[in-house]
Amino acid sequence: MSDSSSSVSRPELQFGNAWEYAPAPESLGALTLRERYDHFINGKWKAPEEGTYFSTANPANEDTLADVAEGSHKDVDRAVKAARKAYDKTWGPMPARERGKFLFRLARIIQERARELAVLESLDGGKPIKESRDIDLPLVAAHFFYHAGWADKLNYAFPNRNPRPVGVCGQIIPWNFPLLMAAWKLAPALACGNTVVLKPAETTSLTALHLMRLCEEADLPPGVVNVVTGHGETGAALVKHPGIDKIAFTGSTEVGKQIAREVAGSSKRLTLELGGKAAHILMDDAAIDQAVEGVIRGIFFNQGHVCCAGSRLFVQESIVDDVMTRLTNRLQTLRVGNPLDKNTDVGAINSREQLERIRGHVACGCEEGATLIQSSTVSLPEKGYWFAPSIFTDVTGEQTIAREEIFGPVLSVMTFRTPKEALERANNTPYGLSAGVWTQKGSKIFAMAQGLKGGVLWANTYNQFDPASPFGGYQESGFGREGGRHGLAAYCHLDF
Ligand code: NAD
Ligand code: MN
């Protein structure tokens, strides 16, 4: 691998090559790609006003998959107007139970077409097929089913508070869970009677566009959901547009802050789901094998492209040697490679830019004195964007790798002596999205849960998601919740 450090340690794998698997590639099946994708506005595929397209690639081999329309402020304007018209004329006035039927229908079509959407998600974004197939797609369908059920029951979700829709929502999403983030945003907005203009991330627009093909099949009325593709400027045009009533954004803290400044003083509502630097706290009484497995999955899942990734591990000092041995052994058995192979655990990094960011952080960790451990068994493909799963030891709380979000497959291990120290160190971050606690004692779980700053806390498990469970952060991780009744409230006006 090409990262710079000469001090990287690559321990030998125990049990030789017993972990080698024959390739088991998923077939492309029913997936058909267009060469070129236009915007989806007012129920029609619309060429960009300025005629510009950009290409989207497969990060596993750098092959171009398709060309995608670059959205200008004119395209955004057309989409917002279409969404307003649908809000005023069709979707707003429609009885809520009818809106619910459309969402149920869309949920069922997504289930039927889950395989091709999963393959496309892995092709365009680089995530392993077993994740897109077994985690992302089932959750996408579940979000539509869950919110379809709420559509005509909002008065029960918010008794005596007269829930009304907010209006036209501008939704901007990232590349780490492209279709799932679209579902988290679209399903509650539509269930509450709003209409939407969605802006996918520039490296992963294809599944959102395919979802629009499914919206066509579901006969969703024109203008209810519009997709305008493009880069950051397209997103900025959406944020600025005066016809927008609410912005929902998931992405970097830096862009989130820009959006908050832009929206300040306007009547636009805003929810932000930003970065994280989640901590695991691993106590000496924990079931260590389960904890190690949870920690490994919590950071190497989706190449660490997860805002709630457990990127810091605090281990109680008395068990650190044992934990490090087991972590290192497990690191060696992770299978890195072709995202479409059903055996792959860790896929491709989403883009060259993200790969450069991760390399920069890791080089910085080595310079600041941490020790890098990587697998001796991983050989990274020649083409595409790859980074070997990595663990840092000899980490101090002041080092950049312990403070800044890396958004890649890199775990920093530190130690603590007392639960109080663990809490202080885990909370010493400007973020506050999530955390994990590993202990056999319920009382310790509750004590930690009280003390940890984070919107989401997992105990003896990690990265579990459910549409009924609110997700979101504190501090620089943003505000607002997605999922559950809290998530619905973000898309309603409510009386007090
Ligand atoms: P980003 O915040 O730049 O992009 C997220 C989305 O916002 C994309 O759709 C992008 O086109 C859009 N966008 C960019 N600039 C915008 C602007 N000025 N106004 C409106 N929309 C804008 O994220 P990135 O550059 O792709 O990744 C950078 C870092 O963000 C990553 O290293 C990671 O730390 C973090 N990130 C976090 C999440 C998360 O889920 N919280 C997701 C992706 C990235
Ligand atoms: Mn892509």
Side-chain angles (χ1 to χ4, degrees), residues 59 118 121-133 135-136 174-181 204 295-310 334-337 339 344-351 354 358 385-387 389 406-410 462-463 465:
E121 196 76 313
S122 287
L123 276 177
D124 201 14
K127 68 170 62 190
I129 186 72
K130 72 179 177 194
E131 284 176 14
S132 47
R133 183 194 61 195
I135 297 170
D136 296 48
W175 40 261
N176 54 342
F177 291 89
L179 195 57
L180 185 58
M181 290 303 104
T204 55
V295 169
I296 287 275
R297 291 191 193 186
I299 183 64
F300 299 127
F301 169 64
N302 202 24
Q303 299 71 249
H305 297 335
V306 186
C307 45
C308 53
L334 287 171
R335 293 163 299 222
V336 184
T344 293
D345 298 310
V346 182
I349 301 302
N350 185 265
S351 65
Q354 191 59 27
I358 297 168
Y385 315 130
W386 301 93
F387 199 86
I406 300 177
F407 225 67
V410 183
Y462 206 76
N463 274 346
F465 303 96

Side-chain angles (χ1 to χ4, degrees), residues 83-134:
R84 176 64 59 189
K85 190 165 152 222
Y87 179 71
D88 289 338
K89 300 271 184 308
T90 53
W91 198 246
M94 186 184 288
R97 64 177 182 281
E98 299 300 317
R99 288 201 299 260
K101 283 186 203 164
F102 277 110
L103 291 180
F104 276 121
R105 186 189 283 174
L106 189 55
R108 286 194 304 270
I109 298 177
I110 290 168
Q111 273 188 323
E112 283 163 16
R113 308 286 281 279
R115 191 55 65 97
E116 68 188 74
L117 287 167
V119 170
L120 185 55
E121 196 76 313
S122 287
L123 276 177
D124 201 14
K127 68 170 62 190
I129 186 72
K130 72 179 177 194
E131 284 176 14
S132 47
R133 183 194 61 195
D134 299 344

Side-chain angles (χ1 to χ4, degrees), residues 211-230:
L211 184 64
M212 295 307 104
R213 294 170 77 165
L214 306 192
C215 287
E216 287 182 303
E217 288 180 26
D219 273 329
L220 196 70
V224 173
V225 180
N226 307 274
V227 172
V228 177
T229 48

Side-chain angles (χ1 to χ4, degrees), residues 10 32 35 43 113 117 177 287 320 334 395 411 427 438 443 466:
R10 292 196 179 85
T32 53
E35 269 177 36
R113 308 286 281 279
L117 287 167
F177 291 89
V320 67
L334 287 171
V395 179
L411 175 71
N427 285 340
W438 302 86
S443 57
D466 188 288

Side-chain angles (χ1 to χ4, degrees), residues 123 172 204 256 393 399:
L123 276 177
I172 301 169
T204 55
T393 58
Q399 287 167 0

Side-chain angles (χ1 to χ4, degrees), residues 172-176 181 199-202 230-236 239 249-253 255-256 258-259 273-276 306-307 354 357 405-407 433:
I172 301 169
I173 54 174
W175 40 261
N176 54 342
M181 290 303 104
K199 211 296 281 173
E202 48 270 36
H231 291 75
E233 284 181 20
T234 312
V239 172
F249 172 79
T250 299
S252 62
T253 295
V255 173
Q258 281 177 34
I259 292 177
E273 205 269 276
L274 309 175
V306 186
C307 45
Q354 191 59 27
R357 284 192 200 114
E405 183 179 44
I406 300 177
F407 225 67
L433 189 56

